[in-house]
Every structure is written in C-alpha cells, then in structure tokens.
Amino acid sequence: MDERQHDTPPPWHAMGPDEALQRLDSGPDGVSHEQALQRLAAHGPNLLLQAEGRPWWKRLLEQFNNILMVILLVASVASLGLGHALDAAAILGVVLIIALIGFVQEGKAEHALDSISDMLSPKANVVRDGKRRLIDAETLVPGDIVLVESGDRVPADLRLIEAHRLRTDEAALTGESEPVEKSTAPVDVGVELGDRHCMAYAGTIVVHGMAHGLVVATGARTEIGRISELLRGVEKLKTPLLRQIDRAGRVLALCILAAAALTAAFGVIVHDQPLGEMFMAAVGLAVAAIPEGLPAIVTIGLAMGVQAMARRNAIIRRLPAVETLGAISTIFSDKTGTLTRNEMTAQVIWLPEGPIAIDGVGYEPQGDFHALREGQRNPTPLDLDAHHALRHFLKVGVLCNDAELAEEHGRYRIHGDPTEGALVVAAAKAGLSAPALRGDHNRQDAIPFESERQYMATLHDVDGIPCLLVKGAPDRLLTMCHRVRGDQGDMPLEHDEWQSHLHELSSQGLRVLALAERALPGLATLEDEHAEQELVLLGLVGLLDPPREEAIAAVKQCQSAGIRPVMITGDHAVTARAIATQLGFAQTERALSGHEIEALSNDDLKSVILDVDVYARASPEHKLRLVMAMQAHGGICAMTGDGVNDGPALKRADVGVAMGIQGTEAAKQAAEMVLADDNFATIVGAIREGRTVYDNIRKTITFLLPTNGAQGLAIMIAVLAGGLLPLTPLQALWVNMVVAVTLGLALAFESAEPDIMQRKPRDPDAALLDLFLLWRVVFVSLLLLAGVFSMFTWVLDTSAGEIELARSAAVNMLITGSAAYLINSRFLTASSFSLGGLFGSRPVWIAIGAVMALQLAWTYLPFMQVIFGSAALGPAHWLAIAMGSVAIFVVVELEKWALRRLHGGRDAHGRGSKARRDHAEAR
Ligand code: ATP
C-alpha cells in the first residue's frame, strides 16, 4: 500500500477557506493546467481500489460444481474400477476440457461486463486557470476547485469555500440517513466526521443546493477510501431467465438421472445384462440427455446483448435489464434533451412594449434583434443602445444564471444548463459579456433552480442596492409578480394579457421563461419568501429546442412495435403538446398537468392514463405515480430520469433509464441502464436489442434440446430393447461438447429478424419454452432419433456387425443432422428456404465448418479412434449422412410451413402476411 496513505491529514475542517486554499497553493481560479499535471503525477489518480473479482482458480474450480461434472467424475472412477482405464482417462480428459471451455466462456462474459463499467466513470466540474471545465473525476488533484450541485456525487474530499443551501446525503460514509446541512464555517478540530459541516466527502450525494469546494484529498486518501471501497460497474445479478433455466435444468437433470437408473435396472433385470455395462449405459444416458451447455450459452447471449447495447450508447448496469427491455410496453420519457436536442436558442423576447425576434440558431453569438408587429418581423434591426429595456432584460438573464459560453477550436460551447446558456448567447448577440457583467455585479447569495421550485433567484449589488433577480417558469412567476416594468415605469400586471403572450409562445413549441426583479435594500441573505412575492415582471423569453430527428423516427418505430411513448416534462402543457405533435405522438390533444395529477386518486389516474400521452409541469413524485398506474394495467415500463429526486421512479420502473450526459450520479445509481447520449432513440434501439437477445436465446434452446433428446432416447430405447447402444457415453460427451460450444453459440450472433419491431411486446409472464417450442423440440428429437437409428442399423447390417463403424456413422449423422437443423433454427417460424436464409449468417457457416473439421478429425485420426472408439467411414456412408441431413432440413421447413398455414396466414409471432412479405424481401 502507498506510504502516503498513513499520513495524518491536516484538520481541514478546523481552518478557514482562505487558509485551506493557501496551504494547497490554490485560489478562486483553481490550479493551473501544469500544476494539475504535476500533482496528478505525485498523488496518483483519484480512484478507489476496485475490489478484486473472483480469482481465476476459484472460477475454474466452480466449473466442477454441477451435477453433470459430478456424474462424470463418478463415471470416470467407476470405469477405472471396472478395468476400463482408457475410458476413465478419456472421460477425465473431456471433463477437464469442458471445465476449461466453461471457464474461458465465463471469463469472456465477465470481461464484456467489466469493460462496460469503464464507460460509467464519473465527471467533475472544476475551475482551472480561472475557467470552468468538465473533466474525468479520475484526474482531480488536491488544490482543484470543484463545483457540485444537487444530484452530484461528491468526487473527492472537499473543503467548502462557497455553499448555497447545500445538503448532502452521507449515508454511504456515516450511515446517517438524514441529509446534512453544509456551510463554510470551520468547526472544532475534534468533531466527528458527521459533524464537519464545512466538508463534503467523496462518495456522498448532494441532494440540494450547490457549492464550490477545494479538493483536499483524492483516491485512497479520501475518508471513504480509508474505510472501504466503493464499487461501481455492472451488477452481475442472476437474471430471472437464468434462474428459470437453472431451476428447470436441475429438475430436468434429476428426472434424467431417475430415468437412467430405471433404464439400467430394466436392462439388468429383464435382459440379464452385466451390471457394469448397464452402469455405463446409465451414465451415457445421463450425459447424453442433460443439456449442460445451456446456462453458459444463455449467459454469453446476455453478455453479448450488453455489449451490443453499449455499442449503441445504452449502458446496462444490471444484467436482468437486458431481458426486461425486450418486454417493455411503455416508455415514459423526459422531453428536454431526450426527445429534443437540448440545444436551446432564445428566439423571442416579449417585453411590455411588445415582442422582439432574435436571429441565429445555435450557440454562435451572432444575430440581430428585430421588433415584431402582428407576427411580422421589422426588417431593420433594433438599435440596441437605444433599447434600454431589452439590454436590462438581457443583463438580468445573464446575472441570474450559472452557464458559461466558451469558444473551443472555433466552435462555441455551453458549460452548464443549456436553458441558461441560451440567455448568455442572447446577451452576447447584443454585445453583453457575461464574465464582465458578473464581475461588475457581485452575486451575494442564490437560490439555485430546482424542478420542484421552478425558479432561480440571485441577489446582486446593483449600483450599491441589493437587488433580487428571478427567472423561472412563467406560470409560476406570474403568481409571484404584482407589477410589470414598462417604458414609463412600473405598471400593474395584467395577468390575462401575459397568459396570452405565454400561450402564443408555448403553442409554437417554445420553452418559455419569465424574468423578474425586486429591490431589497439591506438584504444580505436570500430566503424563498423574498423571491416569491412582490416581484416586478420584466418580460418573457421563448427558447427553441427542436425535436431530435432520430426521436421522430424512434417514436414511429415504437408505434409499430406496440410500445407507447409517453412524454413527462417540466415544461408548460402547451409547449409539451406542440413538441409531442412534432414528434408524431398519438394522443396530443390533451395534456395532464402536475396539478391535475395531484387532484386525481390512484384509481382515477389509472383510468385516465391510457388516454393521455403528455404530462406537463410534472415533478418526480408524479413520475412515480404514473409508473405505478401503468404497472397496475400490467404494463412493463421504462422510465427516464436525470435528477436527484427521480430515484424512486427509476427504481420502481421495470427498467430505470438515467441520462449519461445531463443525468446526476444519483439518477445513474438508481437506474438499470444509462444512456451515453441522452437520446430517446437509444432506448428504442436497446429494446430492439433486448428483443433480439431474447429471440436468440429461444432459438438456441430450441436448437440445443433436440440433440440431447435424440441421444437420450437412442440409448434408452437400445437398453430397453436389449440391443446395442448406438453411441457410447464417451461419444455422447463428445457430441454434447462439440454441438454446444460451436453450433449452439452461432445463434447468439444472429441479427434481429427484420420484423422484430413489428411484433407486440412479449408477455413477461409467458414461459420461455411455450407449447409451440416444446412441440418443435419433441418433433426434431424424433427426427434426429430416426436418423441415428436408421444409420446405425443400416451400417451394422451392411458391414457385418462392425459396431465401431456403425456408431461412427450414427454420431456423424447426429451432428450433421444438428448442423442442418441449425439453419432451420435461424428463424423459428419464418422460412429458412431462401438464399439469405441458407447463407445469410456467417457465424452459422463458420460453426458448421468448424464442426465438420472436428468430425473429420474425430472419424479419421488414429488417436481419436483409440480414445472415442470411432472408425473411418466410406463415401457411401457420407452420402447417406448428407442425404439424411438434407431430409431433416426439408422436413423441418415443411413443419414450419404447415404451422404458418395452421395459424391462418399469421405466424406464431402474430404478424400478418404483409409483415412476412417484408421479412422475406429483407432477407
Ligand atoms: P423535461 O422533464 O422535459 O426534461 P425539464 O425537467 O427540463 O423538462 P424543468 O427543468 O423542470 O423541466 O423546467 C421546468 C420549467 O422551469 C421550464 O419550462 C422553464 O420555464 C423553467 N426553467 C428551466 N430551467 C430553468 C433555469 N435554469 N432557471 C430558471 N427556470 C428554469
């Protein structure tokens, strides 16, 4: 361990902010870039040691912890006891190979999940060289000035140097569940961690307010680093599907064991067979029939789904979400930034003397201002010097604001909230510089914007008088204003007139803010009550935030996939409906507001929820109630969230989705999935991927089980009939190993069927293996069984009883027949009988090629013949095997065709002939 970790840290909590800054050679502008680099080299990255995963040897040993391995080990010892030393060694060898394969596959799946956790690394807002920037929290160094606000996870131990109503949840550190109030005043040296109110500790969550803090410790030297290690990354919970498969697998294994024992007993008693031989037959039956490869293949399928989703910007935090995604029937989505681009541009400012249009789109501070008369834009730009009211409005918009405009590599960017950024850009278009204005009018106190409060207030020194500046949602602010500031001084506020201005802007889909002010001589600290009354309204500003193009396409996709998109926004109802219409939502004539939701009982909400797709002025508690109401209808819901208070709704939803860019750490922790690009279309993409994964798992299972079924039945029938075994235990082991690790895996790579988003969502309660699939398993088991027996008896008859040759032919028939059935299995109901169906999948043909190469080695290599008792086949045998395999393929295709017919023009996915035609064409 690093020696420096034993140093006793200075009592940062007992010294004033200035002294702390001095000791770390920092200041309000933070450290310089060079200093940061030096300190990073000296102190190391701001990382907690990750807990080690399971060590490799433990993972390897765990491979032996299953029924099949135990049976095989017993069989190996028994073979030795019966004098079959070669068999014993071969079984042991195969056991080791199976363990190794399982070990490697599991390692790959774990690696896939581990690499995802790197994508979840947190960011921190720092001030370096006097400039604010967003950096990886990993690169923080002592002396950095960090800005934290509600929802953030504190990235390092901080001595607070400025705090506004800061409250943090320190449960992770102290176990205290109530949030703790923070301030900048030093405390006594000896106080406990939980009472050091001027410190914010790494790993705790800011639940309210905002603060600037000086980083005093990073990485393992933070308080949390000293006591424990925080784990971040994908939680590898067993998914419901895996549990279902495990359970079913155990029951199946026990049944098979019982059947094997009974069959062997029957052989001994009825056919007078030797006990040793019957024991080996029972082992063979168990080995042949137990689908041991299945859980591993399903795990790999899920892990591959996680990787595929990550490539499309959806980062899965909890593995079960991969399955649940495929069953989602409703997506509750935030509007701003998810359905829209969150690139706000101020387009209209409405002052008491009338509206003004602003030119330009985006963050580039270029554009003129034009007066608007009855919707017509006056072509001559306004003379800004003469327009005092407009300049004042823009100035207030910049002061009551935390965003910064920066030019980086010739492009303009906003640091901070885009809504606020739009106001900074608008002011810059009028030549007003935000840093200069903020320098001239010192901010003395602030109430930060919170969705629940719907406004932000700041206290400034304007010409020596403390002045309160407020900006926020107009419907809220209008209730807080009693006058309006006109050209000729203050006038009484006409509520109806301003409501109609608000309506006019909102119905164009603009997000509207109101600005107001109030002189408060003698005031030094702000309270809510100061801001919430006797304000003087300055005007409204309408911000354009266009829908994302890809969200429009995704909404359309949802509709054909039987998924309901629902918008929940903090914005005004009229704005929300206008945007919902632009996005192509189904029901936009009505929007329910947060107030209306509050007035409804849970039952009433349940009865209206199916008729309303737009919820406005809604807060996190409303989100929770909406999810619950939809779940009461049996809906499987995804819910997006970004704020600190969205936690309960995200947890309650079947899949909680946090925003990767705009989202707070608190929201990410509560979510099952994080969107790296905050994009609604990404959720729909993940659903498509989830459906594909589930589909492929069903295909894999339907493919694998018949091989087991056919082998098990073949041995059982042989023993019951008192005949020769068509394959030995060791050969059964070989078949399972080869088929499971090569052929079965290929289906996990299958891409989505073209109609995957034209099906209704899957019923979450439906069994994985429904009647249709069970039928398919039995049907193909019998087909393969027929192939194996025909081949076995034919070769036995024609070769004058060469048992080894006959078994070789039977094993090759089984594996080649399975390979043919693999092509059938690419589509459960749709036809594989087309160029695309036959040759469309590379993995399938690579797997078939690999299996054939293995089979040739198995059949012809002398050492294989010694181990497995195989024998060289002649051309006639291969011809017969090939014909048998083609026959199996054709018969399964005929069965699919008959089933499609039986469903009266609709296949088992419930899609009609048009969808099937598209499907066929796409292939
Ligand atoms: P969505 O839920 O669609 O993402 P949102 O969460 O961004 O919307 P809020 O942030 O709660 O919605 O905003 C609600 C209203 O509050 C906005 O319509 C706007 O009028 C006002 N508002 C938004 N951001 C600010 C801000 N930074 N300062 C003051 N008022 C704001």
Side-chain angles (χ1 to χ4, degrees):
M1 196 188 262
D2 190 335
E3 231 184 24
R4 286 166 303 200
Q5 288 171 31
H6 296 299
D7 297 345
T8 324
W12 299 108
H13 55 280
M15 56 180 95
D18 291 339
E19 188 187 345
L21 283 168
Q22 224 168 30
R23 281 185 78 147
L24 285 172
D25 192 15
S26 184
D29 285 349
V31 294
S32 69
H33 183 64
E34 289 70 33
Q35 272 176 317
L37 285 182
Q38 280 164 9
R39 290 183 191 191
L40 189 62
H43 292 263
N46 178 32
L47 279 179
L48 297 179
L49 299 173
Q50 296 274 328
E52 289 277 320
R54 276 180 304 164
W56 64 269
W57 53 269
K58 225 177 188 168
R59 271 206 350 243
L60 188 61
L61 277 186
E62 277 172 20
Q63 303 298 324
F64 294 92
N65 180 18
N66 74 45
I67 272 194
L68 185 87
M69 291 302 219
V70 175
I71 298 175
L72 290 176
L73 289 173
V74 171
S76 168
V77 174
S79 304
L80 197 65
L82 292 168
H84 306 294
L86 185 68
D87 272 357
I91 295 180
L92 203 63
V94 175
V95 164
L96 289 180
I97 293 176
I98 291 182
L100 217 62
I101 290 170
F103 172 74
V104 171
Q105 288 184 337
E106 206 173 276
K108 271 196 188 150
E110 283 206 357
H111 179 74
L113 299 183
D114 285 345
S115 60
I116 305 292
S117 46
D118 292 341
M119 301 175 71
L120 289 168
S121 58
K123 303 266 184 230
N125 250 315
V126 291
V127 181
R128 279 188 186 164
D129 285 322
K131 290 211 185 75
R132 186 167 144 187
R133 58 191 79 184
L134 195 66
I135 61 167
D136 281 332
E138 210 180 301
T139 58
L140 280 178
V141 294
D144 264 329
I145 303 290
V146 175
L147 178 88
V148 288
E149 51 195 1
S150 83
D152 286 352
R153 195 200 319 216
V154 178
D157 283 359
L158 307 180
R159 170 63 174 92
L160 298 174
I161 50 179
E162 198 186 314
H164 299 285
R165 295 174 176 74
L166 188 73
R167 284 208 299 272
T168 60
D169 175 350
E170 300 192 335
L173 187 65
T174 60
E176 170 61 55
S177 57
E178 281 294 304
V180 188
E181 298 267 354
K182 297 285 176 178
S183 66
T184 55
V187 293
D188 285 343
V189 174
V191 302
E192 293 296 319
L193 217 57
D195 295 324
R196 297 180 189 170
H197 299 310
C198 58
M199 302 288 295
Y201 289 106
T204 61
I205 300 265
V206 179
V207 293
H208 192 264
M210 57 172 291
H212 281 90
L214 169 73
V215 174
V216 295
T218 57
R221 263 152 293 159
T222 58
E223 289 299 332
I224 196 127
R226 287 160 183 268
I227 58 166
S228 74
E229 289 151 347
L230 262 193
L231 266 189
R232 130 170 88 83
V234 186
E235 280 182 41
K236 291 158 199 144
L237 303 176
K238 272 235 155 160
T239 76
L241 191 64
L242 278 174
R243 279 202 299 270
Q244 200 182 333
I245 289 174
D246 273 357
R247 253 197 323 269
R250 266 199 300 276
V251 174
L252 189 68
L254 288 178
C255 295
I256 291 170
L257 280 182
L262 286 176
T263 309
F266 188 89
V268 173
I269 297 165
V270 178
H271 295 299
D272 223 5
Q273 295 279 6
L275 187 66
E277 209 163 288
M278 282 300 100
F279 173 76
M280 290 312 282
V283 168
L285 206 166
V287 169
I290 296 178
E292 61 274 7
L294 207 57
I297 287 191
V298 173
T299 310
I300 291 176
L302 290 171
M304 287 195 8
V306 169
Q307 271 188 323
M309 289 180 189
R311 277 195 297 274
R312 293 184 172 71
N313 288 326
I315 304 160
I316 297 293
R317 289 194 64 238
R318 300 197 178 94
L319 202 50
V322 179
E323 280 164 48
T324 321
L325 273 167
I328 293 292
S329 56
T330 307
I331 309 174
F332 288 103
S333 173
D334 287 341
K335 172 179 73 67
T336 312
T338 314
L339 289 164
T340 65
R341 291 196 214 149
N342 207 11
E343 288 162 8
M344 306 266 178
T345 318
Q347 288 226 309
V348 182
I349 290 177
W350 207 308
L351 300 176
E353 60 265 35
I356 295 167
I358 310 170
D359 287 347
V361 173
Y363 296 142
E364 198 177 339
Q366 301 291 338
D368 290 326
F369 294 71
H370 298 264
L372 281 171
R373 289 278 168 266
E374 286 160 11
Q376 295 299 314
R377 190 165 158 277
N378 185 341
T380 334
L382 282 177
D383 173 9
L384 294 171
D385 289 333
H387 210 306
H388 176 74
L390 177 61
R391 290 177 66 83
H392 185 65
F393 185 93
L394 292 169
K395 178 171 146 186
V396 170
V398 161
L399 290 176
C400 184
N401 192 320
D402 288 315
E404 286 172 22
L405 176 68
E407 191 187 348
E408 287 164 15
H409 313 297
R411 285 195 57 199
Y412 287 92
R413 287 191 48 183
I414 290 294
H415 293 289
D417 181 352
T419 303
E420 300 193 342
L423 300 181
V424 176
V425 174
K429 286 178 181 169
L432 297 172
S433 141
L437 281 173
R438 290 172 189 167
D440 289 348
H441 303 280
N442 241 341
R443 186 188 287 186
Q444 288 156 355
D445 201 1
I447 301 177
F449 174 79
E450 312 257 350
S451 288
E452 290 76 20
R453 191 185 280 117
Q454 292 192 358
Y455 68 82
M456 165 178 180
T458 50
L459 189 64
H460 295 263
D461 183 358
V462 180
D463 305 327
I465 303 174
C467 197
L468 170 72
L469 309 180
V470 186
K471 79 172 191 312
D475 27 350
R476 175 94 170 94
L477 239 68
L478 286 176
T479 63
M480 295 157 33
C481 294
H482 68 316
R483 299 180 76 76
V484 55
R485 180 140 305 153
D487 273 346
Q488 327 293 325
D490 293 357
M491 302 172 292
L493 179 74
E494 296 290 339
H495 274 271
D496 291 348
E497 181 192 332
W498 285 94
Q499 285 292 355
S500 90
H501 298 336
L502 167 60
H503 190 273
E504 185 167 341
L505 294 177
S506 304
S507 53
Q508 298 166 33
L510 299 178
R511 153 177 277 218
V512 189
L513 295 180
L515 263 56
E517 66 180 3
R518 177 184 179 191
L520 278 167
L523 194 73
T525 46
L526 265 182
E527 298 298 337
D528 287 359
E529 77 222 44
H530 299 129
E532 292 180 8
Q533 56 189 337
E534 293 180 32
L535 299 181
V536 181
L537 181 73
L538 299 176
L540 304 177
V541 50
L543 313 176
L544 177 75
D545 180 20
R548 288 171 179 264
E549 288 300 326
E550 56 291 13
I552 299 178
V555 166
K556 217 184 228 153
Q557 221 175 40
C558 282
Q559 283 155 353
S560 69
I563 302 166
R564 239 182 104 196
V566 177
M567 176 193 287
I568 307 184
T569 175
D571 253 335
H572 195 273
V574 180
T575 309
R577 278 180 39 217
I579 297 281
T581 310
Q582 291 171 21
L583 282 160
F585 271 50
Q587 311 178 96
T588 56
E589 59 293 334
R590 186 170 168 207
L592 217 59
S593 75
H595 284 307
E596 288 169 302
I597 298 177
E598 268 159 35
L600 294 175
S601 71
N602 284 344
D603 284 342
D604 292 342
L605 187 60
K606 188 180 159 198
S607 56
V608 296
I609 195 165
L610 294 182
D611 301 324
V612 181
D613 285 353
V614 181
Y615 297 86
R617 291 283 188 244
S619 64
E621 308 92 74
H622 303 137
K623 283 184 164 181
L624 181 63
R625 287 191 57 203
L626 287 172
V627 174
M628 286 168 32
M630 193 59 94
Q631 285 173 335
H633 282 290
I636 305 293
C637 308
M639 164 65 79
T640 69
D642 47 13
V644 62
N645 298 327
D646 283 333
L650 291 180
K651 284 198 180 126
R652 173 73 204 213
D654 299 277
V655 177
V657 183
M659 299 299 135
I661 306 169
Q662 296 289 325
T664 57
E665 276 297 315
K668 289 180 200 167
Q669 273 184 1
E672 268 88 27
M673 178 165 101
V674 177
L675 301 182
D677 58 359
D678 290 11
N679 190 342
F680 178 79
T682 302
I683 308 176
V684 182
I687 291 181
R688 180 186 151 91
E689 205 56 57
R691 288 184 173 196
T692 311
V693 168
Y694 197 84
D695 230 26
N696 287 350
I697 289 176
R698 269 164 55 98
K699 289 176 186 173
T700 308
I701 294 177
T702 330
F703 166 73
L704 278 180
L705 290 183
T707 320
N708 295 104
Q711 291 184 92
L713 284 174
I715 296 181
M716 194 185 232
I717 292 170
V719 173
L720 293 181
L724 290 166
L725 296 187
L727 72 175
T728 65
L730 208 54
Q731 288 172 343
L733 208 50
W734 167 263
V735 172
N736 278 356
M737 203 172 71
V738 165
V739 170
V741 301
T742 51
L743 295 184
L745 212 54
L747 290 177
F749 292 91
E750 258 324 290
S751 46
E753 291 191 30
D755 70 335
I756 196 128
M757 290 305 266
Q758 271 139 45
R759 304 176 195 164
K760 298 273 156 286
R762 153 171 72 84
D763 172 4
D765 296 328
L768 179 68
L769 216 57
D770 51 20
L771 269 183
F772 156 64
L773 292 192
L774 269 179
W775 149 253
R776 171 69 55 77
V777 168
V778 172
F779 178 70
V780 180
S781 296
L782 294 176
L783 269 185
L784 289 173
L785 181 70
V788 167
F789 262 119
S790 325
M791 196 57 65
F792 181 69
T793 37
W794 174 65
V795 177
L796 208 57
D797 287 351
T798 52
S799 68
E802 271 192 56
I803 179 77
E804 287 179 349
L805 193 67
R807 283 186 176 146
S808 272
V811 166
N812 277 309
M813 178 68 244
L814 182 61
I815 290 191
T816 318
S818 295
Y821 174 52
L822 181 68
I823 301 176
N824 297 122
S825 301
R826 289 191 57 211
F827 310 103
L828 289 175
T829 49
S831 166
S832 297
F833 202 68
S834 65
L835 222 54
L838 286 170
F839 303 108
S841 160
R842 251 206 358 208
V844 161
W845 279 101
I846 291 175
I848 293 178
V851 159
M852 286 300 128
L854 279 172
Q855 275 322 103
L856 288 179
W858 184 87
T859 315
Y860 293 104
L861 290 184
F863 80 91
M864 285 285 203
Q865 294 177 345
V866 173
I867 299 173
F868 289 101
S870 49
L873 299 179
H877 299 132
W878 284 116
L879 188 65
I881 288 171
M883 278 166 38
S885 305
V886 171
I888 289 173
F889 174 79
V890 172
V891 173
V892 176
E893 284 305 309
L894 283 175
E895 181 252 12
K896 283 189 193 174
W897 174 81
L899 275 181
R900 288 198 299 269
R901 284 253 125 162
L902 212 69
H903 276 85
R906 305 194 72 77
D907 63 26
H909 296 304
R911 57 187 176 196
S913 52
K914 162 144 189 343
R916 268 187 292 111
R917 224 176 19 253
D918 294 350
H919 177 95
E921 275 163 16
R923 280 187 295 115

